[in-house]
Amino acid sequence: MRIIAGKFADRLLTPPADPRVRPTAEHVRGGLLDLLAPWLPKARVLDLFAGTGALGLEAISRGAAKCDFVEFRPASLHALKANIAALRLLTKTRVFKRDAVPFAGALGPGSYDITFADPPYESKVLDRLYEGWKARPYSRILALEHARTHKLPPGILRTAFVDTTVTVYEALGRVGG
């Protein structure tokens, strides 16, 4: 697993020692970040269900200003912190050892520019995150990675990969910050 593009292109990332963790595949991560390229420069990013941190670290590599990571599994936290340290990004990142849903639910409107969420596939957590964001958009952009079979309302962008779909939503005119 590696950073695909930007300042840290081809830098290797430490994977978690937990078989339950499903890191975002490189081609999915690359496709998503390519879609979000117009919003990345100087963005404040939130990476929910961060795992290794690959999505947020890739965003910083491509020009985001900073990223907050939310993760609670010990093996993932260990890998995430190792990856942040290896890229020397301690000043551009914060790690929160929390459950992602209540963390996001406590955010005020416009807290971030871009939020990534990649919860366990086929989980209702995805629907709760989307509904919470729709009611109070804590970021201008919400990018959800989900199983291709998981039905979500249409967003501004949707890209399907083999068994993964990425749906992107934008909160126009409703986000402070």
Side-chain angles (χ1 to χ4, degrees):
M1 190 169 47
R2 65 187 175 91
I3 299 290
I4 301 164
K7 180 179 180 180
F8 301 111
D10 295 321
R11 293 284 302 270
L12 296 178
L13 296 173
T14 299
D18 183 343
R20 297 172 296 173
V21 177
R22 174 198 38 79
T24 301
E26 284 186 13
H27 69 283
V28 175
R29 186 167 17 101
L32 173 56
L33 274 290
D34 288 347
L35 288 174
L36 296 178
W39 294 282
L40 281 174
K42 298 184 178 155
R44 298 165 299 146
V45 175
L46 175 62
D47 190 348
L48 298 171
F49 305 94
T52 63
L55 282 168
L57 296 171
E58 183 84 34
I60 291 173
S61 182
R62 295 181 185 217
K66 61 184 181 174
C67 185
D68 289 346
F69 298 92
V70 180
E71 180 57 64
F72 71 90
R73 290 184 182 202
S76 294
L77 281 167
H78 178 75
L80 171 61
K81 290 176 180 179
N83 289 329
I84 289 169
L87 296 174
R88 294 183 171 89
L89 291 173
L90 294 173
T91 61
K92 292 188 170 200
T93 60
R94 293 187 299 179
V95 176
F96 295 91
K97 183 180 180 180
R98 301 253 182 75
D99 185 316
V101 176
F103 182 91
L107 295 172
S111 297
Y112 294 92
D113 298 309
I114 299 170
T115 297
F116 297 114
D118 179 16
Y121 277 15
E122 301 302 338
S123 165
K124 293 298 179 188
V125 168
L126 188 67
D127 302 298
R128 291 196 338 246
L129 274 173
Y130 170 73
E131 291 299 328
W133 174 84
K134 192 170 117 182
R136 187 171 58 177
Y138 44 83
S139 62
R140 179 176 178 193
I141 300 293
L142 176 66
L144 301 176
E145 180 182 337
H146 53 95
R148 197 170 188 171
T149 56
H150 195 118
K151 301 298 179 206
L152 285 172
I156 59 166
L157 301 166
R158 181 171 279 166
T159 301
F161 299 91
V162 176
D163 60 350
T164 299
T165 298
V166 172
T167 304
V168 178
Y169 300 93
E170 184 175 20
L172 294 174
R174 300 186 310 164
V175 179

